[in-house]
Amino acid sequence: MESSRNQIINNKLLDEKGVTLVIKREDEIHPYISGNKYRKLKYNLEEAKKQGLKNLVSFGGAYSNHISALSYAGKKYGFETLGIIRGDELGDDLEKTLAQNPTLRFAHENGMKFKFVSREAYREKDNPDFKKALQSELGEFYWIPEGGTNDLAIKGCEEILTDNDKKFDFICVAVGTGGTISGIINKASDQQTVLGFPSLKGEFLEAIIKEKTMPGKQWKLIHAYHFGGYAKINKNLISFINDFYQQTAIPLDPVYTGKMMFGIMDLVQKDFFNRNSSILMVHTGGLQGVEGMNQRLLKKKLPLLDV
Ligand SMILES: *Cc1c(COP(=O)(O)O)cnc(C)c1O
């Protein structure tokens, strides 16, 4: 079982508040199947192989870390991959889309096929009829939900924490679909508190996580740091990520880990954590998204991420 290294962060604020912050570098676990996406795919790929299925189908937005990771995993482990991508306009001129979008270009180079669907159709993706229609079109395939989250993904994410990590009071992790935090909650000890930082708006995640995790665990979602919603970003966040990189040489991604680290530092500042508490922040990767984000920032004439 693979484990990533823990790296301690030193800065004035942490010293002043007497808080220990350590980053678990899951971003380093694989260059292309990064961070939690590796954990989430691992047992799903084994299961697809066991079932004798050669085709993997999954879903994502045009800059999805999951789509990027899946395409590479498919190439490496001998699966055909199909990505169902949100935004039918992207399919109008595939050449142009690939020229402009580094995530989809990478996936395409790994042999992934795409099916671009409208936002309305994409919303129906968990409807059994959608799956049936796809099955009659494509034949048998192994289905991986959006963001890669299912029970096997959670099982994989239970391997992120090691016994050595039981010494931390808090474990912090970014939240999208809630799969990663569910695995972490299941593996955390009853004395530890898991804090989730959703990167999107909405209170629906609590119920999903509750259903996927063991009772009696201490966890909480902190909704104050989504910066307006999924993939929304502002100048403050950009300069925070750039400063953090300058100070630590640790790159954060703008969609998940950057927002979480901003939140952690803000909470430290506000004395959310008692003196002498220790925090393990799980760096779930996502750095492939930086290039695409910078293209969008450039268009909006905002400062760029420099990580
Ligand atoms: C996908 C992703 C997440 C969210 O994981 P979930 O299991 O969907 O909650 C967090 N961080 C990064 C970098 C990701 O790519």
Side-chain angles (χ1 to χ4, degrees), residues 7 25 244-251:
Q7 185 179 0
R25 298 295 305 271
F244 191 83
Y245 183 69
Q246 286 298 315
Q247 288 162 17
T248 63
I250 298 173

Side-chain angles (χ1 to χ4, degrees), residues 36-37 40 65 147 149 174-181 253 256-257 284-286:
N36 63 343
K37 300 305 183 281
K40 294 169 89 168
N65 295 330
T149 291
V175 178
T177 60
T180 306
I181 193 174
D253 85 290
Y256 295 101
T257 56
T284 38

Side-chain angles (χ1 to χ4, degrees), residues 3 15 36 57 70 106 119 138 148 177 196 213 230 250-251 284 287:
S3 64
D15 283 352
N36 63 343
V57 173
L70 179 70
F106 177 75
R119 280 155 183 83
L138 303 173
T177 60
T213 53
Y230 188 75
I250 298 173
T284 38
L287 297 163

Side-chain angles (χ1 to χ4, degrees), residues 25-94:
R25 298 295 305 271
E26 288 280 297
D27 57 310
E28 293 178 339
I29 211 159
H30 192 283
Y32 300 118
I33 314 173
S34 124
N36 63 343
K37 300 305 183 281
Y38 176 89
R39 303 288 185 182
K40 294 169 89 168
L41 283 171
K42 180 178 161 189
Y43 290 110
N44 276 295
L45 299 184
E46 280 184 24
E47 181 59 27
K49 199 169 247 175
K50 221 183 282 173
Q51 293 182 17
L53 296 172
K54 282 253 132 228
N55 291 297
L56 308 175
V57 173
S58 198
F59 305 84
Y63 297 94
S64 165
N65 295 330
H66 166 61
I67 288 295
S68 174
L70 179 70
S71 71
Y72 189 86
K75 180 173 88 170
K76 183 161 173 199
Y77 298 108
F79 295 96
E80 302 287 326
T81 53
L82 174 73
I84 305 197
I85 310 296
R86 183 173 55 229
D88 47 353
E89 75 285 355
L90 296 167
D92 294 345
D93 184 347
L94 185 61

